[in-house]
Amino acid sequence: MFPVSLRMPLEMAPYGVWGMLAAFLSLLCCRGSGEKAFEGPERLMVGSGEFQFINCTAGCTDPKRIVLETALNKTLLEKQAQWKLFKVYNVSKDEELLCSSTCGGKQETKVFHITVFYPPKQVLLTLSPTSVAVGTLFTIECRVPAVAPLEGLTVTLLRGTDILCNQTFVGTTHSPQDAVVTHNTTAHREHGLYNFSCEALMDLRSRGGGLVHRVSDPQRLEVKEPEPNNQMVTIITIVVVLPLLLVTFVLLYQYWWRPHHN
């Protein structure tokens, strides 16, 4: 007996989960009775609160029984003489499922390990401040709330299609936590022409899972021309206006004050 599993991905293919299920059932139904059963991965990653398809397949053509033992709620979706397809619900913690069958008086069993992960459901981008002058520093922060495991998570900051920075996290804890990436940069005039965004990619393929991809809402930075320095304005005013006042006084003295007092 061998278990085969199908998991509903977080970002479905165009044909959807039922199309995938139908294709899988069709493949099972078309196997010759003498062929060896499928053997799925012994370990799978399942998103917290998601469901999982489990196919228990016997190693003989006429098993006496096929059973899936689990504490999870389950539904029998389809069955034939050599296999049964189950759906288990609300996977919220790590579980061990046991497929068993009896062939020729001998019991066959296989343990199926499910590890729960917390996928990136939100990607939050913040520009601080949102309005800056040319040449001023500003901060880009990307926050991915409540994800686990951090290992295999890559967060990328983008300006348009250009990568500003990316970070791949490490850590094997199963407790959900926020992943934060911060990038400080100087504002240029062209920054106001592009959207800023953040992408989160969780790669669980090495653990029996798949790829989960999420993108933040785009943000636009307002870039302004730098305001003049008040102190410099004062100095320029004094340097320019004081000579003009002096020239004006001299002219008034020569053409008005002096002739009237001689």
Side-chain angles (χ1 to χ4, degrees), residues 152-219:
L153 176 68
T154 299
V155 176
T156 304
L157 298 177
L158 299 164
R159 184 192 66 214
T161 57
D162 296 332
I163 296 175
L164 295 176
C165 75
N166 60 6
Q167 180 175 339
T168 299
F169 290 82
V170 295
T172 56
T173 177
H174 293 298
S175 300
Q177 54 189 301
D178 291 1
V180 181
V181 173
T182 302
H183 180 67
N184 297 314
T185 188
T186 302
H188 300 282
R189 288 180 179 87
E190 60 269 21
H191 284 169
L193 303 176
Y194 300 95
N195 285 327
F196 289 84
S197 61
C198 178
E199 295 183 351
L201 180 67
M202 180 176 277
D203 187 351
L204 300 171
R205 289 175 294 181
S206 64
R207 297 178 163 209
L211 289 171
V212 184
H213 181 246
R214 290 286 183 271
V215 182
S216 71
D217 292 332
Q219 304 258 356

Side-chain angles (χ1 to χ4, degrees), residues 13-155:
Y15 51 79
V17 66
W18 293 114
M20 180 175 64
L21 178 57
F24 182 74
L25 290 175
S26 173
L27 185 60
L28 284 175
C29 294
C30 294
R31 290 186 311 159
S33 59
E35 295 183 25
K36 190 171 182 177
F38 287 91
E39 181 173 2
E42 296 182 5
R43 299 182 181 275
L44 278 183
M45 303 288 289
V46 181
S48 176
E50 301 293 334
F51 61 80
Q52 179 86 22
F53 294 116
I54 301 292
N55 184 284
C56 290
T57 304
C60 60
T61 57
D62 188 24
K64 297 302 180 184
R65 68 185 188 99
I66 300 175
V67 178
L68 173 64
E69 299 178 20
T70 175
L72 295 169
N73 294 328
K74 64 182 179 181
T75 298
L76 177 62
L77 297 178
E78 187 71 42
K79 67 176 181 178
Q80 289 200 12
Q82 198 175 350
W83 54 265
K84 289 183 179 179
L85 180 66
F86 297 90
K87 179 180 178 181
V88 293
Y89 297 87
N90 299 325
V91 182
S92 59
K93 61 184 180 68
D94 295 354
E95 299 281 352
E96 287 190 351
L97 287 69
L98 181 67
C99 280
S100 63
S101 64
T102 303
C103 288
K106 296 181 179 180
Q107 186 175 17
E108 299 176 340
T109 61
K110 187 159 186 178
V111 178
F112 193 62
H113 302 275
I114 292 181
T115 301
V116 169
F117 73 97
Y118 296 81
K121 295 184 177 180
Q122 285 184 303
V123 181
L124 307 175
L125 181 69
T126 303
L127 302 180
S128 180
T130 57
S131 178
V132 294
V134 173
T136 304
L137 282 173
F138 70 100
T139 300
I140 309 168
E141 180 187 276
C142 182
R143 181 178 298 272
V144 186
V147 289
L150 287 181
E151 183 182 12
L153 176 68
T154 299
V155 176

